[in-house]
């Protein structure tokens, strides 16, 4: 007969080995549920970290508790733990059956149920089942039930106790040493890239460094051109009257016969008046004739 259990109720187990099956309804956004087990001593704590059976340690060293893995069935997804009750070490008084959702809250898990089967029996009917309902929905790990000794017998109790800090928090409460200082990811080595040549601004060029073209060469002894100094050892030729600029007026040549005036630069040439030998004064009027005696 199958026992439908309520929270806090218990049932005597006559089987020597049982399979605890966690089952839930799949769907969009529903997290994957993981089953695990903690073997507790008489003080209610694990004896060592080996007493924690979960996905990273799926088998207890004694071989009495092990994970069978996940399956997809017609009624939903399952994850199963099998326990050989007859072979459990005398120092173990309780075995917690746990469901965790990898830090996802159980308000997103629908139809969570734990079912107990006789592992040695051929009957497909469960011995008992318990519908696990989180109290707040914020739980990320749940103790669905426990297998515990009562004298020479084993019993199962329905619990449904939740933890909001996940499987890690639950394991800490029962003495599991969880290493919180996991190695940080190695820092990515800096990539060595060839540096582009740095373009530095050129220093300002002083006036003394500017290259100035030299004046054209001239014959030795030639008069210095305007704007260039006379070469050493040469005498500039005297300027002739024709070479002297006439600034609007004819200039006399000192010591030389006067030459025709040079037209002033920018002015029309001035005509030089020459006396006419045939010139005669006009007849004078009476006002210019002296009074006779």
């Amino acid at each position: 007969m199958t026992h439908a259990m309520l929270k806090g109720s218990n049932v005597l187990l006559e089987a020597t080995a049982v399979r605890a099956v966690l089952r839930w309804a799949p769907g969009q956004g529903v997290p994957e549920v993981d089953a695990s087990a903690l073997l507790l001593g008489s003080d209610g704590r694990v004896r060592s970290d080996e007493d924690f059976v979960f996905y990273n340690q799926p088998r207890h060293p004694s071989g009495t508790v092990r994970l069978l893995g996940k399956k997809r069935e017609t009624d939903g997804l399952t994850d199963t733990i099998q326990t050989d009750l007859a072979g459990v070490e005398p120092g173990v008084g309780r075995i917690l059956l746990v469901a965790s959702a990898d830090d996802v809250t159980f308000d997103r898990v629908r139809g969570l149920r734990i079912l107990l089967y006789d592992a040695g029996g051929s009957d497909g009917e469960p011995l008992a089942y318990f519908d696990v309902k989180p109290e707040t929905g914020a739980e990320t790990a749940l103790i669905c039930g426990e297998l515990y000794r009562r004298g020479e017998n084993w019993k199962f109790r329905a619990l449904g106790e939740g933890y909001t800090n996940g499987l890690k928090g639950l394991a800490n409460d029962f003495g599991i040493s969880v290493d919180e200082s996991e190695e940080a990811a190695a820092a990515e080595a800096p990539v060595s890239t060839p540096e582009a040549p740095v373009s530095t601004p050129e220093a300002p060029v002083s006036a003394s460094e500017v290259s100035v073209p030299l004046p054209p060469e001239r014959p030795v002894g030639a008069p210095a051109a305007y704007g260039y100094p006379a070469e050493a050892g040469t005498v500039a030729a005297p300027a002739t009257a024709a070479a002297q600029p006439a600034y609007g007026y004819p200039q006399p040549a000192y010591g030389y016969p006067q030459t025709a005036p040079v037209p002033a630069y920018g002015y029309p040439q001035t005509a030089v008046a020459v006396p006419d030998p045939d010139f005669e004064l006009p007849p004078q009027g009476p006002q210019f004739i002296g009074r006779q005696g």
Side-chain angles (χ1 to χ4, degrees):
M1 184 181 68
T2 300
H3 295 273
M5 304 184 68
L6 300 176
K7 186 174 183 178
S9 63
N10 62 78
V11 63
L12 178 65
L13 300 175
E14 297 179 355
T16 58
V18 294
R19 294 194 317 273
V21 179
L22 282 175
R23 189 176 69 196
W24 66 98
Q28 185 176 5
V30 176
E32 185 174 327
V33 178
D34 296 307
S36 57
L38 282 83
L39 287 70
L40 307 181
S42 58
D43 59 354
R45 297 172 68 83
V46 296
R47 299 165 301 171
S48 70
D49 290 351
E50 292 180 340
D51 286 341
F52 185 23
V53 178
F54 66 117
Y55 45 81
N56 282 341
Q57 187 172 271
R59 183 183 180 91
H60 190 265
S62 66
T64 57
V65 181
R66 65 185 185 274
L67 280 173
L68 299 184
K70 293 183 172 65
K71 289 183 180 180
R72 180 178 292 274
E73 299 181 353
T74 56
D75 294 334
L77 301 174
T78 65
D79 198 7
T80 303
I81 297 174
Q82 182 162 313
T83 304
D84 180 9
L85 297 175
V88 174
E89 299 162 291
V92 178
R94 299 164 59 199
I95 300 174
L96 302 182
L97 303 174
V98 177
S100 60
D102 196 17
D103 295 334
V104 179
T105 55
F106 270 93
D107 58 352
R108 296 169 58 181
V109 180
R110 300 287 183 265
L112 182 62
R113 173 180 286 188
I114 185 168
L115 304 98
L116 261 67
Y117 293 85
D118 183 352
S122 58
D123 187 4
E125 292 294 319
L127 302 175
Y129 70 87
F130 170 51
D131 290 328
V132 186
K133 296 180 180 178
E135 293 182 354
T136 65
E139 296 89 346
T140 54
L142 289 168
I143 302 176
C144 298
E146 65 176 357
L147 303 168
Y148 64 98
R149 291 183 189 270
R150 186 59 72 212
E152 297 296 325
N153 300 314
W154 283 89
K155 287 188 173 185
F156 172 75
R157 180 182 288 120
L159 293 177
E161 298 175 357
Y163 284 76
T164 58
N165 52 354
L167 190 61
K168 178 180 176 181
L170 185 151
N172 278 331
D173 276 359
F174 292 96
I176 299 294
S177 301
V178 179
D179 186 8
E180 298 182 359
S181 59
E182 296 180 357
E183 294 183 3
E188 184 178 355
V191 179
S192 177
T193 55
E195 297 183 359
V198 180
S199 176
T200 55
E202 297 182 358
V205 180
S206 63
S208 60
E209 296 177 349
V210 177
S211 177
V212 179
L214 296 175
E217 296 183 358
R218 54 190 175 84
V220 178
Y226 179 79
Y228 295 94
E231 295 182 2
T234 62
V235 179
T240 61
Q244 294 179 5
Y247 298 101
Y249 297 93
Q251 300 292 326
Y254 299 101
Y256 296 92
Q258 187 172 354
T259 60
V262 180
Y265 179 79
Y267 294 92
Q269 184 175 357
T270 305
V272 180
V274 180
D276 187 359
D278 297 327
F279 178 76
E280 294 182 0
L281 290 173
Q284 297 181 358
Q287 66 272 24
F288 296 102
I289 299 174
R291 190 173 50 180
Q292 296 179 359

